[in-house]
Amino acid sequence: MHTKVTTIGFDADDTLWQNEAFFQLTQDRFAGLLADFADPDHLAERLLAAERRNLGHYGFGVKGFTLSMIETAIEVTEDRVPASVIRQLIDAGQEMLAHPVHLLPHAAQTVAALAQTHTILLITKGDLLDQERKLAQSGLGELFDGVQIVSDKTAAIYHTAFAPHGGAGNAMMVGNSLKSDVIPALEAGAWGIHVPHDLTWDYERAAPPVTHARFRTVPDLAALPALIADLV
């Protein structure tokens, strides 16, 4: 018999609401602005490299993404990028920070249902102000017993998050990112439940830990309650 799951952690971006789609739309806009200086594939590689390089400085989120776009624009144009392009990149970042929250299918119903029977946590990374804004606009805030907005997701972070609620052994982390939501949660001793999303940032890609006894995949959040019931 499996250990009873009493605590469920949910990722936010691209698990409960849309996120990566807005990044990709802005990246397409970025490619158009820099089309005279770099082909789209090369530009995407340079931008991803800048984002990875800058995570330690800016963290995850729109602000770091915007600064990485500006840095990449300066690099690929050899310091000749027009000020008007920089202005448009800043505008694009500000538009992302003001974009309405679009909940994913089944998110509200599933969280509300599980909140009746489990301790529910939101564990997400990114910019503090932006994540707080999105949570407030989502209408889901009152359903969570705790909210943690962290700089990164590691096994230690999950140990700390689940410790006040019975520990990782009785917990489950649900998210779209194998790299951030699933694998470190498994390393912490929790269940790791992957809910795939059509769009995934390259940084978040990882091989599924298919041989791990506590790894599961569900097609969408609607399937989560039944999976949890089967684990008991």
Side-chain angles (χ1 to χ4, degrees):
M1 180 178 290
H2 292 299
T3 302
K4 181 177 174 66
V5 173
T6 58
T7 303
I8 305 170
F10 283 92
D11 169 55
D13 293 336
D14 295 320
T15 299
L16 299 179
W17 51 68
Q18 292 282 10
N19 182 65
E20 180 62 21
F22 308 130
F23 279 81
Q24 294 205 6
L25 286 171
T26 302
Q27 190 164 327
D28 290 343
R29 182 174 172 182
F30 174 60
L33 289 170
L34 275 295
D36 290 340
F37 299 94
D39 68 79
D41 290 342
H42 176 66
L43 193 63
E45 292 174 3
R46 295 287 290 270
L47 177 57
L48 179 60
E51 289 181 275
R52 290 177 179 271
R53 188 168 62 243
N54 289 331
L55 282 175
H57 300 295
Y58 310 137
F60 295 89
V62 173
K63 294 174 185 176
F65 174 65
T66 302
L67 288 168
S68 293
M69 285 195 297
I70 292 171
E71 179 180 316
T72 303
I74 292 170
E75 289 178 350
V76 300
T77 64
E78 298 178 341
D79 296 339
R80 293 179 288 111
V81 59
S84 60
V85 171
I86 300 296
R87 166 53 61 192
Q88 290 182 73
L89 294 177
I90 293 172
D91 289 345
Q94 291 178 342
E95 289 170 15
M96 291 177 72
L97 289 169
H99 202 285
V101 172
H102 294 164
L103 288 178
L104 287 168
H106 317 296
Q109 302 93 318
T110 298
V111 174
L114 292 173
Q116 302 299 312
T117 54
H118 294 75
T119 297
I120 303 295
L121 307 177
L122 185 73
I123 308 173
T124 187
K125 64 186 180 185
D127 179 78
L128 176 64
L129 293 178
D130 191 32
Q131 295 295 64
E132 287 180 338
R133 174 190 69 85
K134 289 189 283 189
L135 178 59
Q137 291 184 9
S138 73
L140 303 179
E142 294 184 356
L143 297 173
F144 293 103
D145 298 293
V147 175
Q148 293 200 27
I149 300 171
V150 299
S151 59
D152 202 357
K153 289 178 174 177
T154 63
I157 289 292
Y158 288 121
H159 270 299
T160 300
F162 293 134
H165 308 285
N170 295 307
M172 167 183 289
M173 184 63 194
V174 180
N176 70 294
S177 170
L178 289 164
K179 179 180 175 65
S180 294
D181 302 320
V182 173
I183 293 173
L186 294 173
E187 292 172 348
W191 291 86
I193 310 302
H194 185 218
V195 189
H197 188 277
D198 290 341
L199 302 174
T200 302
W201 183 27
D202 283 345
Y203 178 84
E204 297 292 351
R205 296 184 184 278
V210 292
T211 60
H212 198 292
R214 287 193 159 205
F215 171 66
R216 298 288 189 278
T217 297
V218 291
D220 54 45
L221 287 175
L224 185 60
L227 181 148
I228 294 171
D230 286 344
L231 297 180
V232 177

